Amino acid sequence: MRAQSLRKCLQQDTERAKELLLKNVSPPGSIPGAIVASPSRSNPNYYFHWVRDSGIAVKAILSLYQSATQLAARQRYFDLLMDFVDFSRDIQRTATHSPAGLGEPKFTIDGEPYSGPWGRPQHDGPAIRAIELTRLAFVLLSEGKRELVREKLYDAKLPTDSVIKTDLEYISHHWREPCFDLWEEVWGHHFFTRLLERTALVEGAALAMKLEDAGAARWYLEQSRALGDELLLHWDPGRNHLVATRDQGGWPSPRSGLDSSVIVATLGGYATDEDLHLEGGCAHPVDQEQVLATAAALESTFEVMYPINDPSKRIEGIAIGRYPEDRYDGYRTDSLGNPWPSLTIGFAVFYYKLAERYQRLERAVLTSTNLPFFQRLPLEDARFRPGEELLLGDPRFDEVVDALRRKGDAFLGRVHHHINPDGSLSEQMNRFTGCQQGAPDLSMNYAVYILAAEVSEHQPSSR
């Protein structure tokens, strides 16, 4: 049985996460639809609407909208989503006057681009926004709100005056250009950005077809296929992991390329074939051997890097950070990086999604590439050989799926162990003590916690 105490704690954490996330949506004095990354205005100042972070927050709000059973709650979430759509269209128009264009990463709460020095452009923001608003569009279409979708989200015109098509046109014409990564530090071509751009184009093509914009759909799919070819170049067989950035620049010393953003990308991108509305292929699903090898490399690295992961402390679950060379501690960039709650939660979702995928496929394939991942699973006596195929009905298949779920639980349990007494989460967890530090009440933390809880609820009980 899965620990009922953990389930109860997670339910409490999730309810608190909903409250704290919504406090950051349309805060007092802002234009409705603005979502601040954090209420912190100094040391550090995160009181801005980041395009990337707000897109992740909207993913959670859309989930809350779909699961709401009470009319008042459903209407509240709907209004928040529509405010976000309007605000997004406004900042898109404003961004055309910025040197970075739609690659402008953050805005003030009154919709003005941040004017100070920054890592720009960043192309992952428009991709995430397009993905989540396209999913919103499909939900609204299923509710018979076709005219609302055409008016607010996708107008099938050129030049366009709708938020999704604006992003898709930008992505489809600029994806070949280098940009800054999601951590806003490194210049180059990034796995995270490219996978999300590909998802946006494939999903956008499905919406374009639905709304009789066939020419655009063909163009988006053509670009998505080219992006898929570029993604293959991120694999480094010598290091046995996917490299986060190619053609790297903008950092004082070379990085290993090992980065948690690769795993997170598979959740925001192609988590399962069923996530796609068109046959676009699954470039890097969660069970892809190279993705599994990268997850294993990240876990083994952070397990020994962060003292809070010391097995002698008897706390299950590995606290996950950004990348091994990280020097940002939430306040300074010349210190020691720490684990992040959002990334640790992301790994929980990864394991849950992987268990779901194996059950759906009714098989798990072992290769020399992904063997390190299977060897890290909490199994009492598991012996695997490259080339083996574990099928539904094989006791070892059930053991693997069960172990994946338990590891997902452990990652969430790790975050719960370090959560503040009031249920709040900051950007980072101190690598030595586990105490919360950096920007408090990070919207992204609460958004991913809500999404993780939803996936966790659908996991059968472990034995």
Side-chain angles (χ1 to χ4, degrees):
M1 296 289 292
R2 298 180 77 194
Q4 294 302 313
S5 59
L6 176 60
R7 273 298 181 90
K8 185 176 180 180
C9 291
L10 294 180
Q11 289 174 353
Q12 294 172 346
D13 292 347
T14 305
E15 288 304 312
R16 185 64 174 143
K18 292 177 185 177
E19 297 173 10
L20 293 171
L21 172 63
L22 295 179
K23 282 187 177 181
N24 289 343
V25 180
S26 301
S30 71
I31 295 176
I35 302 175
V36 294
S38 162
S40 178
R41 302 190 192 211
S42 63
N43 194 33
N45 182 2
Y46 278 27
Y47 201 69
F48 294 96
H49 175 102
W50 261 272
V51 178
R52 169 182 46 256
D53 294 45
S54 65
I56 297 170
V58 161
K59 182 181 181 73
I61 296 171
L62 177 57
S63 175
L64 294 174
Y65 170 73
Q66 291 182 274
S67 62
T69 56
Q70 295 183 347
L71 184 60
R74 189 172 176 83
Q75 185 63 49
R76 182 190 183 193
Y77 297 134
F78 177 81
D79 291 342
L80 293 176
L81 291 167
M82 291 300 102
D83 285 343
F84 176 80
V85 170
D86 291 340
F87 183 82
S88 295
R89 187 63 192 114
D90 287 344
I91 63 174
Q92 282 179 333
R93 294 188 183 101
T94 303
T96 59
H97 304 296
S98 164
L102 289 191
E104 186 62 47
K106 68 177 184 176
F107 294 78
T108 64
I109 61 172
D110 56 1
E112 292 298 318
Y114 176 70
S115 59
W118 209 254
R120 53 171 70 88
Q122 296 174 30
H123 293 164
D124 59 317
I128 294 173
R129 182 169 57 199
I131 291 168
E132 301 314 326
L133 292 186
T134 297
R135 290 171 178 168
L136 170 62
F138 276 108
V139 170
L140 296 178
L141 287 172
S142 72
E143 297 173 351
K145 298 182 174 71
R146 189 179 183 88
E147 289 309 310
L148 178 61
V149 171
R150 283 189 173 279
E151 176 190 354
K152 293 276 191 179
L153 294 169
Y154 192 100
D155 60 12
K157 299 176 183 177
L158 278 179
T160 181
D161 194 38
S162 58
V163 62
I164 294 174
K165 191 167 176 66
T166 297
D167 279 336
L168 292 176
E169 289 297 312
Y170 181 80
I171 294 165
S172 64
H173 288 91
H174 293 273
W175 69 264
R176 295 181 186 274
E177 302 168 8
C179 63
F180 277 91
D181 68 338
L182 78 161
W183 307 132
E184 308 185 306
E185 298 169 340
V186 173
W187 180 261
H189 294 99
H190 316 290
F191 181 92
F192 179 87
T193 302
R194 284 173 156 178
L195 186 56
L196 292 170
E197 286 176 323
R198 186 174 189 270
T199 302
L201 291 170
V202 174
E203 293 278 280
L207 182 62
M209 289 293 291
K210 190 85 171 177
L211 297 176
E212 302 172 347
D213 194 7
R218 287 192 296 271
W219 166 251
Y220 300 150
L221 284 177
E222 179 183 327
Q223 299 310 304
S224 76
R225 286 189 283 270
L227 258 168
D229 292 338
E230 290 295 319
L231 282 162
L232 298 176
L233 302 177
H234 286 262
W235 174 246
D236 186 333
R239 287 180 277 185
N240 204 50
H241 68 74
L242 288 159
V243 175
T245 299
R246 298 185 69 249
D247 310 316
Q248 181 177 309
W251 190 251
S253 60
R255 289 188 188 174
S256 63
L258 190 61
D259 195 304
S260 294
S261 65
V262 169
I263 302 303
V264 176
T266 68
L267 306 178
Y270 295 106
T272 67
D273 291 324
E274 288 72 18
D275 283 342
L276 301 178
H277 292 95
L278 285 179
E279 291 293 332
C282 213
H284 287 81
V286 291
D287 67 326
Q288 202 245 21
E289 61 175 344
Q290 297 170 346
V291 172
L292 296 182
T294 305
L298 284 160
E299 287 183 37
S300 61
T301 297
F302 292 128
E303 187 173 34
V304 298
M305 176 174 288
Y306 300 141
I308 59 172
N309 288 330
D310 185 343
S312 67
K313 297 183 184 294
R314 299 189 178 185
I315 304 171
E316 287 192 89
I318 299 169
I320 300 294
R322 298 193 298 174
Y323 51 88
E325 303 86 358
D326 195 0
R327 294 293 178 264
Y328 177 56
D329 67 0
Y331 311 106
R332 298 164 43 191
T333 58
D334 60 351
S335 182
L336 290 174
N338 298 295
W340 287 37
S342 60
L343 295 174
T344 307
I345 297 167
F347 265 66
V349 177
F350 174 76
Y351 274 88
Y352 292 146
K353 289 283 189 180
L354 183 57
E356 288 178 352
R357 184 161 174 81
Y358 281 151
Q359 282 211 309
R360 186 179 297 113
L361 297 175
E362 299 185 349
R363 66 188 177 95
V365 179
L366 283 78
T367 69
S368 57
T369 297
N370 67 25
L371 187 61
F373 178 86
F374 285 91
Q375 291 173 331
R376 290 187 56 83
L377 292 178
L379 300 170
E380 292 183 5
D381 184 26
R383 297 181 181 179
F384 301 116
R385 295 189 308 275
E388 282 190 290
E389 190 172 13
L390 307 181
L391 301 176
L392 184 66
D394 183 334
R396 291 186 302 164
F397 177 86
D398 295 335
E399 290 173 5
V400 165
V401 171
D402 182 71
L404 293 172
R405 292 174 181 144
R406 285 188 281 119
K407 281 201 73 170
D409 288 348
F411 282 112
L412 290 185
R414 163 65 71 173
V415 174
H416 174 76
H417 181 81
H418 299 297
I419 202 168
N420 285 326
D422 64 354
S424 63
L425 288 166
S426 299
E427 182 184 60
Q428 303 183 25
M429 303 180 291
N430 185 277
R431 63 163 62 194
F432 299 103
T433 67
C435 294
Q436 300 293 309
Q437 70 181 62
D441 289 320
L442 201 71
S443 294
M444 186 163 54
N445 284 339
Y446 302 135
V448 296
Y449 213 124
I450 292 166
L451 295 166
E454 180 184 11
V455 179
S456 173
E457 288 172 4
H458 293 91
Q459 296 292 312
S461 295
S462 299
R463 299 171 305 168

